[in-house]
Amino acid sequence: MGLQATPRVLDRVVDLRRACDGARLNGGRVAFVPTMGALHAGHLALVTEAKRRAPFVVVSIFVNPIQFGPREDFGAYPRDLGADLAALSPWGVDAVFAPPAEELYAQDESTRVRVGSLSDPLCGAVRPGHFEGVATVVAKLFAVVGECVAIFGRKDYQQWLVVRRMVRDLLWPVEVVGHPIVRESDGVAMSSRNRYLSAGERLRARALVQGLDAAVHAYDSGERRARRLESIARGPIERAASSIDYVEARDPETLAAIEGIIGPGGALLAIACRIGGTRLIDNVVLGEDPPPLSPR
Ligand code: AMP
């Protein structure tokens, strides 16, 4: 891979719209990777997938204020545009959209996008308004980028489903792709928030993937009871986490609760917990994903 120039940075809606319209006029498809910056190899895998799917790749970097709750880490969220641009340089990104908040939110803005039912359980139950904030900003970004293929990570599985449903319901000309979770060498899911962890907490963070791995092995050995699989996953997490928001098996398409036995469609097994003060999430789809610690 040759060294390439720092990508072009746009901070105005009109400029990004013009750039994307221009790419399509030239016969190209546009691929779009929305992020909040603090880029790591997980984000870069999404960029690689974008590059594979379209000649013109846009990455947005925007820490979206309205998806954070009042006691969440909006102020502390890591921001380093210079480092992000350096990380993107080798990947042939055509434009980085890094707008100031005023560019996306007029002072008297009053519109929200709410995606029913999929936004309610799991993170939606613990972070009220979070998915409304996500859907609203993604709707704005799609309105600027226009027709495209958009790449999302399945680390934020519920977010991926919410965005997919919004696109379908609102008839956006967007193909939404869900990229598999990218993990560190010890299995921990990559996350911008991992940099909040102390060395000891980083070791404790392995409990999430250990719990998921144990549950996948149990599922692959024939266990189908949802409560039993949840409790297998909970074991290591209970020992390591400061608090647990949820460890839940749910329908992988609708996120409906699973009362007894997991059916032929498999199940999403999703975790959110705190290690020290840092909230981490992870998941697997039972019946689909390989064991995360020893991929098939
Ligand atoms: P964020 O910057 O955390 O909002 O993430 C931007 C996009 O990158 C989202 O679609 C995330 O799901 C995705 N992403 C973040 N971490 C990972 C990961 N470890 N593996 C795959 N996708 C990820």
Side-chain angles (χ1 to χ4, degrees), residues 59-139:
V59 175
S60 65
I61 296 179
F62 181 67
V63 185
N64 175 35
I66 70 164
Q67 73 185 64
F68 289 79
R71 279 177 299 282
E72 294 183 358
D73 57 345
F74 174 67
Y77 200 83
R79 294 163 172 87
D80 187 344
L81 185 59
D84 288 342
L85 295 176
L88 290 172
S89 295
W91 301 98
V93 170
D94 297 279
V96 168
F97 183 52
E102 315 83 77
E103 191 66 13
L104 295 188
Y105 294 102
Q107 220 175 9
D108 59 348
E109 56 97 21
S110 55
T111 302
R112 291 290 178 272
V113 178
R114 200 182 66 77
V115 178
S117 81
L118 286 173
S119 300
D120 297 337
L122 302 176
C123 285
V126 200
R127 303 181 71 188
H130 171 68
F131 287 114
E132 198 172 283
V134 169
T136 301
V137 79
V138 173

Side-chain angles (χ1 to χ4, degrees), residues 185-209:
S185 55
D186 67 352
V188 171
M190 290 191 181
S191 165
S192 304
R193 291 188 168 100
N194 288 352
R195 63 182 75 186
Y196 297 150
L197 300 169
S198 69
E201 289 167 349
R202 178 63 184 72
L203 284 174
R204 281 159 58 200
R206 292 181 179 176
L208 283 81
V209 68

Side-chain angles (χ1 to χ4, degrees), residues 7 13-14 89 92 103 273 281 295:
V13 161
V14 285
S89 295
E103 191 66 13
C273 66
I281 59 172

Side-chain angles (χ1 to χ4, degrees), residues 211-231:
L212 293 174
D213 190 71
V216 174
H217 281 289
Y219 182 89
D220 290 349
S221 307
E223 179 60 74
R224 290 293 182 274
R225 291 169 297 175
R227 295 297 85 74
R228 177 73 196 124
L229 288 158
E230 288 167 354
S231 99

